[in-house]
Amino acid sequence: LAVAATGCLGAGLLVVLADAGQDSISPDPGVAVSTSPGSSAKKKVVILGTGWGGMSFLKNLDSTKYDVQVVSPRNYFVFTPLLPSVTSGTVEARSITEPIRRIIRNKDVKFVEAECTKIDGVNKKVLCKDASHLKCKGKEEFELEYDYLVVAVGATSNTFGTKGVEQYCHFLKEIEDAEKIRGRIVDCFETASLPNLTDEDRKRLLHFVIVGGGPTGVEFAAELHDLVHEDLMGLYPYLKDDVSISVLQSGDHILNSFDGRISEYAEQKFSRDGIEVKMGSRVLGVTDEKISFKSKSTGELVEIPYGMIVWSTGIGTRPVIADYMKQIGQTDRRVLATDEWLRVKNADGVYALGDCATVEQRKVAEDISYIFKLADRDGDGYLNVAEFVETMENVKVRYPQIEHYMERQHMKGVLGLLNDAMTKGKDLKLDLDHFSEAICKVDSQMKSGPATAQVAAQQGEYLARSFNHLASDNPDDGPMRIRGSGLHRCKPFCYRHLGQFAPLGGETTAAELPGDWVSIGRSTQWLWYSVYASKQVSWRTRALVMFDWTKRFVFGRDSSRM
Ligand code: FAD
C-alpha cells in the first residue's frame, strides 16, 4: 500500500469528510491545564479505584501537572491473575498485594481510603464514604471536587438474580474472597473427618462446585484439583473416594473465549483428572445444601448436594455506576459507554476504563466504510487500485489505526486482491460491501477487548499519556477532526491483544499467543511463571511470589485453617 501511496487528499473528498456528521468525538479530550508544578490553578484529577485501570493510569501520569487524589475502599493493589493461587495456598495473599502508599510515595498524589457512593456530574463532585474500620462519628461522609474524573471502579460478580447465590456461594474477586475460599476448603475436609457423619454427609461436604467455565472458573478448578491431589490426599487419605469437583457451564464449551484447540484440550484434561464438566447447565437456585440447575439439552431439572460453591459467571454493575448511568441516560447497559478517547458519553470531564466501561462499538468501521463508499464516484459498488490507494491515504490521516486493521486476519483477502492487482498490473475491482464486512469484523475484534487486566492496564497507560500530552505544549497529534478543522489533540485508544494464559493444573498451562499461536504443556507453564513474575508491580511482590512458588515445590501447601 505504501508503495503506491498517492499522497494528498482530493479537495472534494475533504469537504464531504468534513460534513460526514457522524462524529461524537468533539469537544476535544480535555482542555488547557496549568503546567506549572505547585500552581494552585492545577486541574483537579480524582481517580476512583486502585485496581488495574486506576493504578496503570496513576503510574504513567505526570503528577506534577495535576492535583491528583485517589479514592478507593482498598488501600492496596491486587495482582488478580494470581488470586486463584491464593485459594489453594500456592501463593500467600500478601504476596500479591502492594500498598498504594508505597506506589505513590514518590509522587505528588493524595490517597483517601473511602468508597465513592455518588458521582454528581452536574456540580463536578464525588460523594465519598469512609471505608476504614475505625470511623469518626458523624464524619463518615465527605465530598471531593474534580475537573477530571477517572472512573476505574471495576465490577461486581454477576449473579443474574439467581436465588440463593449471594447467600450461599463464594465469589472470587477480592483478596478476602480468596482467603475465605481457602478456609472453607479446609473446613470441608475437617468437618468431613468428624466421626459421626454418614457417607452421604461426607460426599456432600467434599463436593466442590464451580459455576462458570470461563478462565477464572477453570483456573480455580485446576488449583483445587492440585491442592486436593498433591497435598490434602496425603493428609486425609481416608477421604480419597469422597472428593469430587464439578464445573457447571451454561455454554457448549469451557474457556470459550480461547482458541478452540485450548478449549478442547482443557476439556480432555479435566476429564482425565476426574473433574466433571456439565455443559449446557443453567443454574436455577441455591439452598444451604443443594444447587439446582436445568440441562439445556435434555430439559431435565437436576439437584446436587454441595460442600462449597464458587460462583464465577462474569461481571455485574457496581451500584455507584448504575446510579451514574441513570443520571446520564445510559440506562440500557451494564457498563459505561465511552468514546475512543475513553470519555464517558453524555458527561463532561469524566473518563472511564477497565471493567466498568466499554469503548462504544461501531464508529471506526462504519466511518471507514463510509469514506470508501464516497470514493466510488460512479457508484457501481467497486473501486479500482488508484481510487483505493488514494482513499486509504486519506483514511490514514483520519484513522491512523487503519494500519493495525490491515494487518488482521479478516483483511487478508482484501490485501491479497490488492497485491495481486498491483504486481500483475491488473485493474482491481474492490467489492465495497465485502470490504465493509471485513473491516467491521476487524473493528469489533480490536475494540471489544474483554474485561481483562490487560485491557484495563493498556487503557490506564493510554489515558495517562493523553493527560500528559494535554498538559504539555506539544502540538496536536490526533487524527483529523470530522467536525471543525485541524487535528484532535490526542490519538484514540486502540487495544492490542498480547495473548492470554489458561493454567490447567498439574504444571500444565495453555497459552494463546499473538499471531494465532497456541502453546500447551509444561514448557508453557514455565513461560507462565516467568511472565507473571515479570508482571509483578514491585520487586517486593516479585520476590514474595517467587519465594511462595519455591516453598510450595519444596514443602507443599499449608492446610491450616486460619
Ligand atoms: P479492578 O482491578 O477490579 O479495580 C477496581 C478498584 O476500584 C478496586 O481498587 C476497588 O476497591 C475500587 N472500587 C470499587 N468500588 C469503588 C467505589 N465505589 N469507589 C472507589 N473505588 C472503588 N485479567 C487478565 O488480563 N488476566 C488474568 O489472568 C486475569 N485473571 C483474573 C483472575 C481473577 C480471579 C479475577 C477476579 C480477574 C482476573 N482478570 C484477569 C480480570 C482482571 O482482574 C480485571 O479485568 C481487572 O482487574 C479490571 O481492572 P479494573 O481497574 O477495571 O478493576
Side-chain angles (χ1 to χ4, degrees), residues 66-87:
Y66 296 93
D67 175 0
V68 187
Q69 296 225 37
V70 184
V71 179
S72 175
R74 216 170 68 186
N75 80 343
Y76 53 88
F77 167 84
V78 182
F79 190 86
T80 48
L82 288 181
L83 266 183
S85 304
V86 174
T87 63

Side-chain angles (χ1 to χ4, degrees), residues 48-54 71-74 76 80-81 83-84 114-117 152-155 172-174 216 219 318 320 353-356 451-454 456 532:
L48 301 181
T50 48
W52 281 95
V71 179
S72 175
R74 216 170 68 186
Y76 53 88
T80 48
L83 266 183
E115 182 188 348
C116 168
T117 51
V153 296
L172 185 47
K173 276 239 138 244
E174 305 285 344
T216 302
E219 193 176 341
R318 287 204 188 276
V320 63
L353 55 149
D355 285 3
C356 68
T452 62
Q454 207 179 130
Y532 280 17

Side-chain angles (χ1 to χ4, degrees), residues 377-421:
R377 290 185 189 102
D378 56 11
D380 65 350
Y382 293 91
L383 287 191
N384 62 33
V385 174
E387 283 170 332
F388 179 83
V389 171
E390 182 188 336
T391 315
M392 183 54 85
E393 280 308 300
N394 300 334
V395 168
K396 266 194 219 165
V397 182
R398 175 72 181 82
Y399 294 111
Q401 69 264 48
I402 186 72
E403 308 237 18
H404 291 301
Y405 279 47
M406 298 309 283
E407 289 162 11
R408 306 297 283 228
Q409 193 62 28
H410 297 299
M411 295 307 294
K412 292 273 160 69
V414 175
L415 287 180
L417 268 178
L418 188 69
N419 279 338
D420 210 30

Side-chain angles (χ1 to χ4, degrees), residues 322-368:
D323 173 76
Y324 184 55
M325 279 170 23
K326 264 192 221 149
Q327 291 178 43
I328 56 171
Q330 290 196 9
T331 42
D332 54 339
R333 347 178 31 98
R334 197 171 40 80
V335 290
L336 283 165
T338 71
D339 65 15
E340 302 137 275
W341 282 265
L342 307 188
R343 290 172 300 174
V344 174
K345 298 201 155 184
N346 313 333
D348 180 23
V350 184
Y351 298 76
L353 55 149
D355 285 3
C356 68
T358 185
V359 177
E360 185 84 317
Q361 297 296 308
R362 186 197 70 87
K363 269 210 64 64
V364 174
E366 283 192 9
D367 284 359
I368 292 174

